[in-house]
Amino acid sequence: MKLSEREIIGQGFRYPIELHEDFQGLTEKLNSLPKVSKVYVLTSREIAGIYEKYITKELRSLGAPFSFIYLKPGEKNKHIDRVKKVYNQLIETDADRKAVVIAFGGGVVGDFAGFIAATYQRGVRFVQVPTTLLACVDSSVGGKVAVNVDSGKNMVGAFYQPEFVFAPLFTLSTLPEKEWSCGLAEIAKHAFLDGGDFFEKISKSKRSDYSADSLTLRYAIEESVRVKSGIVSQDEKESGLRAVLNLGHTTGHAIESLTQYKKYSHGEAVAVGLVTALLLSRELVGFSESNFQKAIFLMKQLELPTRLEEKPEEILKHMEHDKKKEGTSLKFVLLEDFGKPKFGVSVERKTILEILKRQKGKL
């Protein structure tokens, strides 16, 4: 059953983002795509072990043959070294340019499968079927696809929009706590970027209010999609405004890289990165103390990490691999107020180090 739909429209692209209870309706959406030769479901064995029987049952009435390609789970496996094997599987099964790739899983699968779709035969169509909260509110929306290399995360990628996003919310019922943190951190980020009613309502919620079938969750997903799609539709290829979506990610990516993607989930790292950005915002662009305390309160209500545990000097070193580096400074997204982000703010290394040291203390 379809729960809600939002359409994302930009320059040269237009596609729906739909929330569903389960997989019912996915075949109908796929059959509406013209001239599909084959469908490839790219997923991890972990996801397949839980949900393959359900999606297989739904796809039996598909008007084209379908098969599964299994990926190794985890951020460390979203690596360019893994790409060749999947290309060869597609070539060996005669995948042509009329094939459709389904990214069935969380953000890692979505990024990786989207990168495959964007580059195989210079681009085949793909569909996002997100199974985590983070993928629902972030990676499945906006068309950023990428893989990692040894020196950094998402350093090789493309902007490549899906045909549609089909989110079966019942898959969220099996999420571990770390995955809930991932999604809730992105929801908090979108609330900071948007301000207004969204921020106020989310501030009144707490972690226990979020479950796969809760109205609170559905509201948060719908509003997050509204915020992100509104930004992406104005700036698909991050030439300006879209950069605000990197709020919290400069520190977050550095933490992930430093800890080799093992200690933190993406959302936990971004949550810590949001606090870095909030501290810098208070220091540099006039974000008020009152707003800072409100933001920290929201994050604690959602049980997100706020303190930095790693050595500030090591974090700074990994920040310098970031795509937003410029000379002796790094570019940050900061907040002048809720709903008033400012991107491309140059911050000197000395200031960053001072703030990171402060973040290791009590907040």
Side-chain angles (χ1 to χ4, degrees):
M1 180 176 131
K2 185 194 290 188
L3 300 174
S4 64
E5 177 180 346
R6 175 169 289 275
E7 191 167 53
I8 178 168
I9 304 170
Q11 294 183 340
F13 66 89
R14 181 187 192 114
Y15 59 92
I17 299 167
E18 299 179 0
L19 303 186
H20 292 256
E21 284 187 357
D22 50 32
F23 295 116
Q24 186 177 353
L26 178 58
T27 296
E28 182 182 354
K29 292 289 295 183
L30 289 166
N31 282 337
S32 70
L33 300 177
K35 298 180 180 178
V36 175
S37 59
K38 294 182 179 181
V39 172
Y40 293 88
V41 183
L42 272 62
T43 190
S44 70
R45 289 197 178 275
E46 182 181 35
I47 294 295
I50 304 172
Y51 295 112
E52 183 174 329
K53 60 184 178 182
Y54 299 108
I55 197 168
T56 297
K57 181 179 179 182
E58 170 63 20
L59 295 179
R60 280 176 185 157
S61 57
L62 194 63
F66 69 93
S67 60
F68 289 82
I69 293 178
Y70 302 105
L71 311 173
K72 290 188 176 182
E75 187 71 42
K76 70 180 185 299
N77 290 306
K78 196 185 82 177
H79 195 279
I80 197 164
D81 289 347
R82 306 283 183 182
V83 167
K84 180 172 69 173
K85 181 179 179 181
V86 178
Y87 287 152
N88 285 335
Q89 287 178 275
L90 293 171
I91 292 167
E92 289 162 6
T93 54
D94 298 319
D96 59 22
R97 295 195 70 188
K98 295 178 182 177
V100 173
V101 168
I102 295 179
F104 178 41
V108 169
V109 170
D111 281 358
F112 188 92
F115 181 81
I116 293 290
T119 52
Y120 181 73
Q121 293 201 6
R122 298 184 179 86
V124 297
R125 290 170 291 180
F126 91 112
V127 167
Q128 289 272 16
V129 181
T131 61
T132 67
L133 180 55
L134 177 63
C136 286
V137 300
D138 182 46
S139 57
S140 69
V141 182
K144 269 190 176 182
V145 297
V147 292
N148 304 333
V149 293
D150 292 340
S151 297
K153 178 175 177 175
N154 295 336
M155 296 300 285
V156 180
F159 295 95
Y160 197 67
Q161 303 295 343
E163 298 297 307
F164 60 86
V165 178
F166 185 105
L169 296 186
F170 90 118
T171 61
L172 306 187
S173 63
T174 60
L175 289 184
E177 284 302 311
K178 273 183 173 286
E179 285 296 333
W180 279 101
S181 293
C182 279
L184 290 172
E186 288 294 320
I187 288 168
K189 181 193 79 175
H190 290 142
F192 296 161
L193 291 172
D194 188 59
D197 289 343
F198 182 28
F199 175 80
E200 293 300 325
K201 288 183 180 179
I202 294 299
S203 295
K204 294 174 184 175
S205 67
K206 54 186 182 295
R207 179 85 168 223
S208 59
D209 294 330
Y210 294 85
S211 62
D213 58 355
S214 73
L215 292 177
T216 302
L217 177 70
R218 197 187 309 173
Y219 169 80
I221 293 174
E222 289 171 351
E223 289 300 293
S224 283
V225 169
R226 174 185 63 78
V227 173
K228 183 165 185 181
S229 62
I231 292 168
V232 170
S233 64
Q234 297 177 67
D235 181 20
E236 179 190 9
K237 297 187 176 179
E238 203 172 65
S239 58
L241 178 64
R242 183 170 176 158
V244 302
L245 294 170
N246 290 317
L247 182 68
H249 283 61
T250 301
T251 305
H253 284 170
I255 290 171
E256 289 180 291
S257 177
L258 174 62
T259 58
Q260 299 181 311
Y261 306 102
K262 294 177 181 177
K263 183 176 178 180
Y264 299 89
S265 68
H266 175 67
E268 288 171 330
V270 167
V272 177
L274 285 173
V275 177
T276 308
L278 292 168
L279 286 163
L280 286 169
S281 297
R282 186 176 63 176
E283 186 83 8
L284 299 175
V285 295
F287 192 66
S288 71
E289 176 64 24
S290 173
N291 279 345
F292 178 81
Q293 294 301 331
K294 288 178 183 178
I296 296 297
F297 176 79
L298 182 154
M299 295 182 70
K300 290 184 175 179
Q301 283 286 93
L302 298 180
E303 299 177 23
L304 296 170
T306 57
R307 289 184 62 187
L308 182 69
E309 295 185 5
E310 280 59 46
K311 293 181 179 179
E313 294 82 2
E314 292 296 316
I315 292 294
L316 183 57
K317 187 184 300 183
H318 280 260
M319 280 184 185
E320 291 174 342
H321 292 301
D322 196 278
K323 299 185 288 292
K324 294 168 282 298
K325 181 181 177 183
E326 185 177 274
T328 61
S329 63
L330 287 170
K331 298 287 189 181
F332 276 81
V333 180
L334 302 180
L335 293 173
E336 295 178 313
D337 196 352
F338 294 124
K340 287 186 65 178
K342 186 174 183 179
F343 62 89
V345 181
S346 293
V347 185
E348 292 295 322
R349 294 175 78 260
K350 180 181 177 182
T351 302
I352 298 168
L353 191 57
E354 289 173 357
I355 290 295
L356 292 173
K357 288 179 178 178
R358 198 178 304 170
Q359 196 175 345
K360 279 187 70 72
K362 187 177 180 181
L363 291 171

